[in-house]
Amino acid sequence: MKTFSRSWPLALVLMMALSGCAALSGLSAASVPSELYVLTPKSTFDANLPRLRYQIAVEEPTATASVNTDQIAVQPTPLRVQYLPEARWVDRAPLIVQSLMIESFENSGKVPAVGSSAIGLRADFLIVTDIREFQAFVPAVDADAPLNIHVRLNIKVIDAFSDRIIASRSFQEVSLADSDDASDVAIAFDEALGDTLRDAVEWSIRSIASYGAPRF
């Protein structure tokens, strides 16, 4: 199997330029500008979704150390993790997923109030997420083929009053990057995450609606 040694042509979308000031000459390589990429929330949902009367808090997702970073993970082999050079997410992946899930719940128009658990919202239900996969894979058969982007989230819906898990399910999507360019990789991540969020939000709303009022 070929090792991961691709060349990554990167189109600049955002960078901070360093001046020629001599005082900056001792800065480490960590200050080298990187491309920063954002992902987007889901905004289209099934029109037949039930409307909830309950408040929802979304907790920060858990993730392995390889994913809990602002670097864009690529696995050239099942047991090896690397990162795109000079390209990063705008924040750590779990915080991005949390923020986009909150926005997606809001965009559904079916939840009266939703926010981060960190703000102290008196929620009726909690959404607890474990990020199982959030990386690009180099195809095992042909290392020169397009990268496969895998996003897999395990979602638990918890009754905040009884601490009871009322529903649990995993959601997964795979998309292909058009090229090895970081911008194309980010677009494929956006597609896979968007489809995963849509399914997770619709399922969560239906699960809460069928469960009914929180059990004291």
Side-chain angles (χ1 to χ4, degrees):
M1 179 184 298
K2 295 182 181 179
T3 58
F4 182 69
S5 60
R6 300 182 175 199
S7 174
W8 298 91
L10 302 177
L12 182 65
V13 295
L14 177 64
M15 85 174 193
M16 297 178 60
L18 297 177
S19 70
C21 178
L24 298 180
S25 61
L27 290 179
S28 69
S31 64
V32 175
S34 294
E35 292 180 335
L36 298 181
Y37 288 93
V38 299
L39 299 173
T40 58
K42 199 64 181 177
S43 58
T44 56
F45 296 92
D46 186 347
N48 295 320
L49 276 178
R51 185 175 299 276
L52 299 181
R53 298 182 292 109
Y54 312 114
Q55 297 190 130
I56 294 174
V58 178
E59 296 193 350
E60 179 181 335
T62 58
T64 62
S66 65
V67 171
N68 190 10
T69 175
D70 64 353
Q71 298 187 84
I72 303 174
V74 179
Q75 287 193 229
T77 72
L79 301 180
R80 186 181 178 191
V81 178
Q82 296 180 322
Y83 299 95
L84 294 188
E86 301 178 22
R88 292 175 180 268
W89 301 123
V90 293
D91 210 331
R92 292 187 294 110
L95 292 179
I96 291 175
V97 172
Q98 180 189 32
S99 175
L100 296 183
M101 185 173 290
I102 290 171
E103 288 188 68
S104 296
F105 271 111
E106 292 172 340
N107 291 343
S108 73
K110 303 297 184 179
V111 182
V114 58
S116 166
S117 58
I119 66 175
L121 178 69
R122 289 181 58 86
D124 301 303
F125 293 92
L126 304 176
I127 305 298
V128 178
T129 303
D130 181 33
I131 302 176
R132 300 288 175 84
E133 290 184 289
F134 197 77
Q135 65 265 59
F137 285 88
V138 177
V141 176
D142 182 2
D144 294 322
L147 294 176
N148 296 332
I149 310 303
H150 288 229
V151 173
R152 181 160 63 98
L153 308 178
N154 179 266
I155 309 291
K156 291 180 175 62
V157 181
I158 298 176
D159 181 329
F161 293 93
S162 66
D163 286 331
R164 176 187 176 190
I165 298 174
I166 68 166
S168 178
R169 183 174 168 183
S170 289
F171 299 87
Q172 178 174 349
E173 292 290 340
V174 177
S175 62
L176 298 180
D178 287 342
S179 75
D180 291 350
D181 189 273
S183 60
D184 285 334
V185 173
I187 289 171
F189 265 103
D190 195 55
E191 178 183 349
L193 180 60
D195 290 345
T196 305
L197 288 176
R198 180 199 59 223
D199 294 344
V201 166
E202 290 184 349
W203 169 83
S204 298
I205 290 174
R206 291 190 175 103
S207 296
I208 292 172
S210 63
Y211 178 76
R215 313 299 168 88
F216 293 88

